[in-house]
Amino acid sequence: DGLGRGEDEQDDTSHDLQAQFSSGQWFPAGPFDQWNLTLQRREVGLDFFTLGNLSLPGDLRLDRLNWQGYLGNLQLDAELARETNNLDDQDQVADQIADRRVLNLYYYPTVDGEALPWRLLGLPSLNAGYSDTRRRQDEEDAQRVGFDLDDRTRESLFGASFYHARWNWSVQHTVQGTDDRSQAVEQNGYLIYEPPSDQRNRFTTLQVGYMPLDSLSLSTSWQWNKLQETDDDNVYRGISRGLDLAWQIVPERWRLNASYYRGRDTSHLGDTDFLGDSVLQQSAHLQLTWTVAQPDGLSPGLDWFLKGSYAQQDSRLYDQAQEDWQLLLGFDLRWDTHNY
């Protein structure tokens, strides 16, 4: 806030301690071909800031155990973690705890890539996962901070991926449910916090990538989502799709990047006094870059670019549409520090 002005400077610390263990001569692998174990404790003080990562969360402690095991073509990842806050035990801050349990499985079957159907589909891999997150805070803190926190979220997923020399595609389905057990908070006879509804969320994602040339790559994705607020019988549906293109027109000289996104979100509310909505969102980006020179020692590299973007949002309920576009011409200077 400026030297000699505002509050006095604050001192705080951050540390990250990790211990890693692997199967080998000292630790037998047991039924597995190999396993790895990581133990971690990270603490970031409330007043700790770093220019390298201003988004690093302060006033937080993380204790984490991660285990990986390999058995033939099967890989297992398991994790236990706990996050706690209020490291300085401040009276005006709520004491909150988040416990997380995660299990992920990856299977890479051995198949003949030249045989059908794998010659058409691509080499397969399967994945499945489950996570359970519980968040809570001390009951007496609700009046102090004006809200309660007590919920549990379970998530399960299953996916399949297929890889080919020039293209790949994957599909994944996720089911997520959140049960909220928080209590309403009143102060001076006024309701200042009302518990949110339990939620059930399902979404399916399909991704396809294609590389017809070494210098040209295309990728596209579709996602279908359905969110239910079970207490209020509200239903929200979303369908979105996107396309990305990267093209080295002239290697190390001219390159083109483009992307397009289109999504529609619809809502149907259980309360008949309120109408649902249908919102269309779409955006497009295009950038052409000319590399004039590569960095060489103390001489910087120079890139000129021309880029444009367009965005639109249209709401049927409010009968209004918003559009935004921009066109930019600029340059980038790049230094290669490895040459010093």
Side-chain angles (χ1 to χ4, degrees), residues 6-26:
E7 297 181 358
D8 294 335
E9 64 182 16
Q10 301 291 325
D11 293 328
D12 219 326
T13 60
S14 173
H15 68 258
D16 189 354
L17 305 176
Q18 294 192 45
Q20 295 181 331
F21 305 90
S22 299
S23 58
Q25 182 177 359
W26 289 0

Side-chain angles (χ1 to χ4, degrees), residues 1-277:
D1 59 355
L3 294 176
R5 298 184 181 276
E7 297 181 358
D8 294 335
E9 64 182 16
Q10 301 291 325
D11 293 328
D12 219 326
T13 60
S14 173
H15 68 258
D16 189 354
L17 305 176
Q18 294 192 45
Q20 295 181 331
F21 305 90
S22 299
S23 58
Q25 182 177 359
W26 289 0
F27 304 103
F32 294 91
D33 298 330
Q34 181 187 354
W35 56 260
N36 303 302
L37 175 66
T38 301
L39 304 176
Q40 179 185 26
R41 162 162 284 196
R42 170 185 288 179
E43 289 189 7
V44 183
L46 176 63
D47 297 309
F48 178 84
F49 299 95
T50 169
L51 294 178
N53 186 1
L54 291 175
S55 64
L56 191 68
D59 195 28
L60 185 68
R61 175 188 294 130
L62 168 66
D63 294 296
R64 184 175 72 95
L65 181 151
N66 179 266
W67 180 85
Q68 292 181 331
Y70 302 87
L71 181 60
N73 296 336
L74 180 65
Q75 175 183 340
L76 298 88
D77 288 357
E79 181 172 298
L80 297 175
R82 165 169 288 191
E83 294 181 356
T84 58
N85 71 325
N86 199 15
L87 304 183
D88 297 331
D89 197 22
Q90 301 179 83
D91 293 336
Q92 70 274 17
V93 177
D95 295 319
Q96 299 176 350
I97 299 175
D99 291 310
R100 183 173 65 253
R101 297 179 296 172
V102 181
L103 176 63
N104 290 311
L105 305 176
Y106 305 91
Y107 181 57
Y108 307 93
T110 301
V111 299
D112 183 0
E114 296 301 322
L116 293 174
W118 312 119
R119 185 171 58 186
L120 299 177
L121 295 177
L123 297 178
S125 65
L126 306 175
N127 70 286
Y130 175 80
S131 66
D132 186 345
T133 302
R134 173 74 190 279
R135 303 187 305 167
R136 60 190 185 277
Q137 71 179 20
D138 293 341
E139 294 182 2
E140 59 270 16
D141 286 339
Q143 287 290 333
R144 183 179 305 162
V145 298
F147 65 90
D148 192 19
L149 179 67
D150 188 357
D151 61 37
R152 185 176 185 180
T153 300
R154 300 180 181 91
E155 180 179 287
S156 57
L157 61 90
F158 175 80
S161 302
F162 300 87
Y163 300 91
H164 200 271
R166 285 293 182 181
W167 53 269
N168 62 83
W169 63 282
S170 64
V171 61
Q172 181 168 290
H173 181 68
T174 304
V175 179
Q176 185 183 77
T178 299
D179 298 320
D180 189 89
R181 307 170 184 174
S182 62
Q183 302 297 319
V185 179
E186 293 186 0
Q187 290 182 356
N188 301 321
Y190 293 95
L191 180 65
I192 64 172
Y193 171 79
E194 184 176 359
S197 169
D198 293 344
Q199 295 185 358
R200 299 293 179 267
N201 194 10
R202 298 174 180 267
F203 53 92
T204 302
T205 303
L206 173 65
Q207 294 180 317
V208 179
Y210 179 50
M211 193 173 180
L213 303 170
D214 293 339
S215 59
L216 176 63
S217 63
L218 300 167
S219 63
T220 182
S221 63
W222 291 266
Q223 186 175 91
W224 298 265
N225 180 61
K226 179 182 178 181
L227 172 64
Q228 294 177 283
E229 295 178 341
T230 56
D231 293 356
D232 304 319
D233 197 24
N234 297 333
V235 179
Y236 305 88
R237 299 177 186 271
I239 300 177
S240 62
R241 50 193 176 273
L243 175 67
D244 291 279
L245 176 147
W247 184 17
Q248 290 279 353
I249 303 174
V250 178
E252 300 185 358
R253 283 296 180 183
W254 290 91
R255 66 181 183 271
L256 179 69
N257 296 89
S259 64
Y260 175 73
Y261 167 84
R262 180 183 178 92
R264 181 173 293 279
D265 298 315
T266 58
S267 57
H268 301 277
L269 306 185
D271 191 337
T272 56
D273 294 334
F274 295 92
L275 299 176
D277 195 7

